[in-house]
């Protein structure tokens, strides 16, 4: 089934709110007009009618409208919750948890490959028997988890060609950030960049592929042509959080920002705009990280200031649910980082169960922070060399698994509030790692290879060529015995997790 937003007849258009509703799957209620004349019924008729009503009492709610000519279709329920689900980037709102359900990892083989209408930069989601994949062709697909067959496709608009952008490295530019699934509603949220440089928050039913609504998310800096939505979406407290950074090449007068939109589709937006004159992108693929108590942590890239006063860039920033700044950390060398493009914005914060946060970026220094009090400039609990970090980390216990662009995954122990690198993975495996089945899973996105590493040593247990190049910072999703990876042409599923 191909569900195209442009072909739907709009049920409602709330233009001032930027909201368009498309859903036709819900039955319309029907009222009645006129009055019934009184009737006299025989005792036998009354008894028959009473028995009939008693037998049908469970089929309609009290007061529900009835129609003699139509029978409303029973709404489909979302698939039941499963331990094998992968509903959000890196499995959990904290981004850094491990998947405990998969069985022990073993030898690898290709289970299926599904070409789609564009590259899949975000992680595939898994809900029940469905794999959700979003493409740079501005489509969201529902794929059969077992076979990869297309169950439905929702096409959301026309992506932006590279030729119309002042810089960048994705062509065309459609859906880049990983979507997020709400188990409470059975809906998937994705942001599509469409013609005219509009960033459309789109909500799709996973049972039918129908678009429930689309809402334009204006970028707070007022520069949508220069703003890219690469970071994974987050869902917390009834809001969907959308982060923006710049295009590859850092062209234009963009400024990093986060926008919170009501998951219901209606109501005011909230936002945070990095207080720098230019830059400060929030682009790391892991996106906003939801920590204890609903605090939202973001890593912010280099900004305009190269001398005091500090401008909020090159930082880990804590935000409240309504996106007021609640805390900040920046390295003592923030001004030099800004001048040399060596900032913390390239990796999402690693939130540890202890409440500590491990941050690392392009300079290669790891900073251990107290999540409840980030400490301001030079306020770290510890610092040590780790690696040049790009992407999203994973965490188990006191160990953070860091995606490194200069030598492979780094397993970093933070016990005793110290930073100690335990091991490094294969030098070219620079993707964002995930954990499950007693293994670390990481990609070499340049070669199109998936590695299964020993969690204790980093040694390669198994590896497999995926038959396709991968997007930068590619990160797999785990579901039972399957590993699912977005490629430059679709999705590939590997058996053996």
């Amino acid at each position: 089934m191909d569900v195209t937003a442009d072909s739907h007849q709009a049920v409602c258009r709330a233009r001032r709110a930027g909201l368009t509703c498309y859903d036709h799957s819900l039955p319309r209620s029907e009222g009645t007009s006129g009055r019934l004349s009184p009737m006299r019924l025989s005792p036998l008729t009354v008894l028959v009618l009473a028995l009939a009503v008693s037998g049908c009492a469970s089929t309609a709610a009290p007061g529900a409208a009835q129609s003699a000519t139509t029978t409303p279709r029973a709404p489909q329920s979302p698939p039941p919750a499963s331990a094998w689900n992968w509903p959000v980037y890196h499995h959990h709102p904290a981004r850094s948890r491990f998947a405990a359900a998969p069985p022990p990892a073993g030898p690898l083989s290709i289970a299926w490959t599904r070409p789609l209408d564009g590259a899949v930069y975000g992680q595939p989601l898994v809900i029940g028997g469905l794999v959700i994949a979003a493409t740079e062709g501005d489509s969201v697909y529902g794929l059969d988890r077992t076979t990869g067959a297309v169950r439905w496709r929702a096409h959301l608009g026309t992506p932006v060609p590279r030729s119309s952008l002042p810089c960048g490295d994705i062509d065309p530019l459609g859906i880049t950030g990983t979507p997020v699934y709400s188990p409470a509603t059975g809906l998937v949220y994705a942001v599509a960049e469409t013609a005219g440089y509009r960033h459309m928050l789109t909500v799709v039913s996973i049972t039918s592929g129908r678009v429930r609504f689309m809402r334009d998310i204006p970028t707070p800096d007022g520069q949508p042509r220069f703003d890219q939505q690469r970071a994974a979406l987050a869902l917390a407290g009834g809001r969907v959080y959308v982060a923006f950074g710049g295009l590859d090449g850092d062209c234009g007068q963009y400024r990093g920002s986060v926008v919170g939109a009501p998951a219901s589709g209606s109501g005011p937006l909230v936002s945070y705009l990095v207080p720098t004159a230019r830059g400060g992108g929030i682009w790391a693929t892991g996106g906003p990280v939801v920590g204890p108590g609903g605090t939202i942590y973001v890593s912010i890239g280099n900004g305009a200031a190269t001398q005091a006063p500090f401008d909020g860039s090159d930082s880990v920033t804590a935000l409240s649910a309504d996106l007021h700044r609640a805390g900040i950390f920046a390295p003592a060398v923030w001004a030099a980082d800004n001048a040399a493009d060596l900032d913390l914005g390239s990796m999402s914060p690693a939130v540890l169960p202890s409440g500590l946060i491990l941050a690392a970026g392009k300079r290669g220094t790891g900073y251990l922070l107290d999540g409840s009090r980030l400490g301001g400039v030079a306020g770290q609990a510890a610092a040590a060399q780790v690696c040049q970090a790009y992407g999203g980390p994973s965490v188990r216990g006191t160990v953070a698994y860091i995606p490194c662009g200069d030598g492979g995954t780094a397993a970093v122990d933070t016990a005793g509030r110290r930073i100690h690198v335990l091991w490094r993975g294969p030098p070219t495996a620079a993707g964002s790692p995930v954990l499950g089945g007693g293994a670390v899973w990481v990609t070499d996105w340049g070669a199109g290879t998936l590695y299964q590493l020993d969690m204790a040593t980093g040694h390669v247990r198994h590896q497999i060529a995926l038959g396709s190049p991968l997007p930068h910072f590619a990160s797999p999703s785990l579901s039972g015995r399957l590993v699912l990876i977005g490629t430059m042409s679709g999705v590939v599923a590997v058996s053996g997790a």
Side-chain angles (χ1 to χ4, degrees):
M1 172 166 46
D2 188 344
V3 183
T4 304
D6 293 340
S7 68
H8 289 163
Q9 178 183 358
V11 176
C12 66
R13 295 182 183 275
R15 296 187 184 276
R16 292 184 181 178
L19 175 65
T20 306
C21 300
Y22 289 98
D23 189 19
H24 299 283
S25 62
L26 302 179
R28 296 181 182 179
S29 62
E30 300 177 7
T32 58
S33 60
R35 300 177 61 185
L36 296 175
S37 300
M39 293 179 60
R40 290 183 178 274
L41 303 176
S42 70
L44 178 60
T45 303
V46 171
L47 177 60
V48 170
L49 289 173
L51 290 172
V53 170
S54 175
C56 299
S58 63
T59 64
Q66 300 294 311
S67 170
T69 59
T70 62
T71 302
R73 184 178 63 186
Q76 289 181 283
S77 298
S82 167
W84 289 357
N85 284 357
W86 194 275
V88 63
Y89 184 89
H90 279 201
H91 191 258
H92 188 274
R95 306 299 197 203
S96 50
R97 301 294 176 85
F98 69 101
L108 307 179
S109 61
I110 301 295
W112 51 261
T113 299
R114 176 55 53 195
L116 303 176
D117 71 354
V120 177
Y121 271 70
Q123 277 190 325
L125 306 183
V126 186
I127 310 299
L130 202 65
V131 175
I132 307 295
T135 75
E136 297 295 345
D138 268 344
S139 293
V140 178
Y141 286 85
L143 308 177
D144 186 279
R145 178 183 172 278
T146 302
T147 66
V150 176
R151 289 191 186 175
W152 51 256
R153 170 185 180 241
H155 186 55
L156 310 180
T158 302
V160 178
R162 169 66 184 84
S163 59
S164 71
L165 294 168
C167 64
D169 62 351
I170 299 175
D171 187 17
L173 186 58
I175 305 172
T176 308
T178 300
V180 64
Y181 169 71
S182 169
T185 62
L187 302 175
V188 168
Y189 298 79
V191 171
E193 181 156 351
T194 62
Y197 315 110
R198 302 179 72 194
H199 297 90
M200 303 298 298
L201 176 63
T202 305
V203 182
V204 179
S205 166
I206 68 164
T207 57
S208 65
R210 291 190 179 275
V211 177
R212 290 293 184 92
F213 65 81
M214 299 180 77
R215 180 172 186 172
D216 187 20
I217 305 294
T219 55
D221 64 357
Q223 302 287 340
R225 185 173 181 233
F226 303 109
D227 294 318
Q228 180 171 285
Q229 204 293 297
R230 186 165 203 156
L233 305 189
L235 178 66
R239 286 192 178 106
V240 179
Y241 293 97
V242 183
F244 293 95
L247 299 164
D248 182 62
D250 281 346
C251 54
Q253 288 298 121
Y254 79 93
R255 294 164 66 192
S257 62
V258 184
V259 177
S264 64
S266 61
L269 303 175
V270 296
S271 65
Y272 174 76
L273 182 63
V274 178
T276 182
R278 181 184 175 279
I282 304 173
W283 66 272
T285 54
V289 178
V290 182
T295 299
I296 296 165
Y297 297 97
V298 292
S299 295
I300 296 177
N302 57 302
T306 56
Q307 60 183 12
F310 174 57
D311 65 353
S313 60
D314 186 28
S315 68
V316 173
T317 296
L319 302 170
S320 65
D322 54 1
L323 297 183
H324 294 294
R325 194 168 82 182
I328 195 166
F329 162 79
V333 293
W334 65 266
D337 284 355
N338 280 351
D341 192 13
L342 293 174
D343 54 87
L344 292 174
S346 57
M347 188 189 82
S348 307
V351 177
L352 295 131
S354 63
L356 295 175
I357 293 174
L358 183 63
K362 301 173 191 173
R363 180 174 286 277
T365 304
Y367 298 95
L368 194 60
L369 315 175
D370 183 339
S372 64
R373 189 174 182 274
L374 291 179
V377 175
Q380 69 270 11
Q385 190 68 17
V386 174
C387 70
Q388 295 176 353
Y390 291 84
S394 286
V395 166
R396 185 173 187 182
T398 62
V399 179
Y401 298 82
I402 305 299
C404 300
D406 60 344
T409 304
V412 181
D413 192 9
T414 62
R417 298 171 69 94
R418 297 179 179 179
I419 296 174
H420 175 58
V421 177
L422 299 174
W423 53 257
R424 298 293 300 271
T428 59
S432 298
V434 296
L435 313 177
V440 179
W441 301 88
V442 63
T443 62
D444 176 344
W445 44 264
T449 302
L450 173 68
Y451 287 95
Q452 178 196 118
L453 308 181
D454 186 278
M455 191 174 289
T457 66
H459 294 161
V460 177
R461 290 180 178 174
H462 301 282
Q463 66 186 77
I464 189 171
L466 300 174
S468 172
L470 307 179
H472 287 192
F473 323 121
S475 188
S477 307
L478 305 182
S479 177
R481 297 207 65 87
L482 289 182
V483 185
L484 299 134
I485 306 107
T487 73
M488 293 301 291
S489 58
V491 174
V492 61
V494 174
S495 178

